[in-house]
Amino acid sequence: MSKKNIKTAAIYYRYSSLKDQQIENSQKRQEDSVLQYCIDRQWTVEWKGGDDSVSGDKDKPKLMELKTAVEDKQVLVDVIVVATWDRLTRRHIIDFHEDVKWLRDTDILICTSQDSMIYDLNDNSDVMMLSFRVSEANRYLTSLSSNVRSGMESRFRRGELGWSRLPFGFDKNDNGDIVPNADLELVPLIYDMFLGDSINSCIPVMRRGLKYQKSGKAPSAFAVKCVLRNSVYIGLRTYGVAGVGRHGTTRGEINHNVNANRLEQTALPPQDISDKVKPVIEEDIFYKVQERLDSNKKKNPKRKDSKYKYAGFLRCSCGAKITA
């Protein structure tokens, strides 16, 4: 396809956060800018769509939907228009072809409206320039991850780090600090019930919380373990046990294990916050619970063959990966 003979276009946008501010600003801004770019050039828009809350280095269901439509001849376009290159992909330079190789195979051009550049993936000079773009995007992710981690670590050490996830039994005040609510009275009962019986026996107790009374749903064993493992109930705050961010982790590896012993796996020394958050669990009880949870992990280790053979290959019509 000649860059001078463009008549039809597809427009694609992507934003990576579920925050309302991001949705209202980024999605609308991207969609409006690329649409107006096509109108100004009298390109007919045959398809438009975007991926919601999807990181640039992850799978993009809507983009793959366009790929399928193009390959099935349901959509015929000369160019795909994006605001900037990183909206299309931020994969590593070795892997970025996963997002764009099909454009080369179908002879579709790439246009970045912000700098008004058009790229032909069958043109070696254009491919070389795009390779630089990919490298820049990858460096941005690495730098962003490093800066986020460094900033959060500094705030934690100063005792100024906010709370993205509220522990059970707490609300957040106008200053961003956590304050107890009526559900906190259930926490000692949950600990006692666990030591006297099991995780499942804690669920009816936790269900009495206002959060679950409003939703009508029962808490999961996952939610119970979050309470049993959270050292905030003895006035200590840990950091980085489950990693920080999608693009890098505090501990060097991703750890989403809710049953992790926080005091043992904290990436930084625990902060004593007992002057702000009054302990509601005696330390000896807390450590007994940790010992029992650790013992349960040793008795019931995760199966090494638990990953299903076809995991990650099947997707729902909404684009989410189907799990067993």
Side-chain angles (χ1 to χ4, degrees):
M1 165 56 61
S2 170
K3 296 180 182 180
K4 297 181 180 179
N5 297 326
I6 297 173
K7 294 181 179 180
T8 58
I11 63 176
Y12 173 78
Y13 49 87
R14 177 186 60 79
Y15 62 96
S16 55
S17 171
L18 279 173
K19 294 181 179 178
D20 291 341
Q21 183 178 8
Q22 173 84 343
I23 295 172
E24 290 297 321
N25 178 40
S26 184
Q27 177 182 342
K28 185 171 178 57
R29 174 178 52 78
Q30 288 181 55
E31 186 175 358
D32 288 350
S33 68
V34 294
L35 182 58
Q36 188 60 51
Y37 188 88
C38 293
I39 292 173
D40 292 344
R41 283 150 187 79
Q42 298 183 338
W43 296 347
T44 302
V45 177
E46 298 288 352
W47 184 94
K48 66 177 181 178
D51 282 304
D52 305 343
S53 62
V54 174
S55 178
D57 63 340
K58 301 299 178 182
D59 293 338
K60 305 166 187 66
K62 202 67 179 179
L63 184 62
M64 293 301 101
E65 179 183 307
L66 172 60
K67 172 181 179 290
T68 300
V70 168
E71 291 175 343
D72 292 344
K73 309 298 183 183
Q74 296 175 356
V75 174
L76 301 176
V77 293
D78 301 324
V79 64
I80 180 171
V81 185
V82 292
T84 57
W85 167 255
D86 58 12
R87 295 303 88 192
L88 197 57
T89 185
R90 268 191 178 144
R91 293 187 191 271
H92 189 274
I93 191 168
I94 297 176
D95 302 317
F96 84 100
H97 67 277
E98 294 180 22
D99 289 329
V100 299
K101 180 180 179 295
W102 64 276
L103 295 171
R104 183 193 67 189
D105 295 340
T106 53
D107 204 26
I108 293 177
L109 303 174
I110 298 173
C111 176
T112 52
S113 64
Q114 187 167 298
D115 55 10
S116 195
M117 294 291 292
I118 298 176
Y119 302 93
D120 181 353
L121 293 181
N122 288 298
D123 184 307
N124 290 335
S125 60
D126 283 3
V127 172
M128 183 176 295
M129 183 166 295
L130 281 177
S131 296
F132 284 117
R133 291 291 184 91
V134 173
S135 180
E136 289 173 357
N138 191 255
R139 282 202 303 271
Y140 168 80
L141 285 181
T142 303
S143 175
L144 176 64
S145 174
S146 176
N147 291 339
V148 168
R149 292 199 304 272
S150 177
M152 292 180 71
E153 287 175 8
S154 296
R155 292 182 63 193
F156 179 82
R157 290 190 178 97
R158 297 196 303 267
E160 300 172 357
L161 186 65
W163 300 80
S164 58
R165 294 184 180 179
L166 293 176
F168 178 75
F170 289 94
D171 293 320
K172 191 183 294 186
N173 63 18
D174 294 337
N175 296 323
D177 298 321
I178 58 172
V179 291
N181 60 34
D183 293 346
L184 191 60
E185 296 178 357
L186 299 174
V187 172
L189 299 179
I190 293 172
Y191 274 72
D192 290 342
M193 187 62 73
F194 173 71
L195 288 176
D197 197 342
S198 65
I199 289 283
N200 289 336
S201 66
C202 301
I203 292 177
V205 178
M206 194 169 174
R207 189 172 188 174
R208 287 154 51 186
L210 183 60
K211 171 183 176 181
Y212 297 103
Q213 290 295 311
K214 285 183 177 180
S215 68
K217 298 179 180 179
S220 62
F222 175 98
V224 173
K225 287 179 181 178
C226 285
V227 173
L228 295 174
R229 283 297 198 183
N230 202 332
S231 59
V232 71
Y233 301 116
I234 59 171
L236 294 176
R237 188 179 186 187
T238 57
Y239 178 77
V241 175
V244 178
R246 171 173 279 170
H247 304 297
T249 61
T250 304
R251 297 179 58 81
E253 60 180 10
I254 295 176
N255 177 11
H256 295 302
N257 182 9
V258 68
N259 201 16
N261 188 318
R262 296 193 177 196
L263 290 178
E264 287 186 358
Q265 297 192 25
T266 180
L268 297 173
Q271 284 275 346
D272 186 343
I273 58 172
S274 57
D275 59 330
K276 298 179 181 179
V277 182
K278 183 179 178 181
V280 294
I281 300 295
E282 296 292 334
E283 286 193 10
D284 61 331
I285 293 177
F286 181 83
Y287 287 112
K288 284 181 181 178
V289 167
Q290 306 315 300
E291 290 176 4
R292 182 170 174 185
L293 288 170
D294 290 342
S295 176
N296 289 346
K297 284 176 64 178
K298 293 176 182 178
K299 291 178 182 177
N300 304 293
K302 185 176 180 180
R303 287 174 51 189
K304 294 182 179 180
D305 61 343
S306 61
K307 183 174 178 62
Y308 290 86
K309 184 176 181 180
Y310 299 107
F313 285 94
L314 301 179
R315 287 184 178 275
C316 172
S317 59
C318 70
K321 291 182 177 178
I322 296 176
T323 58

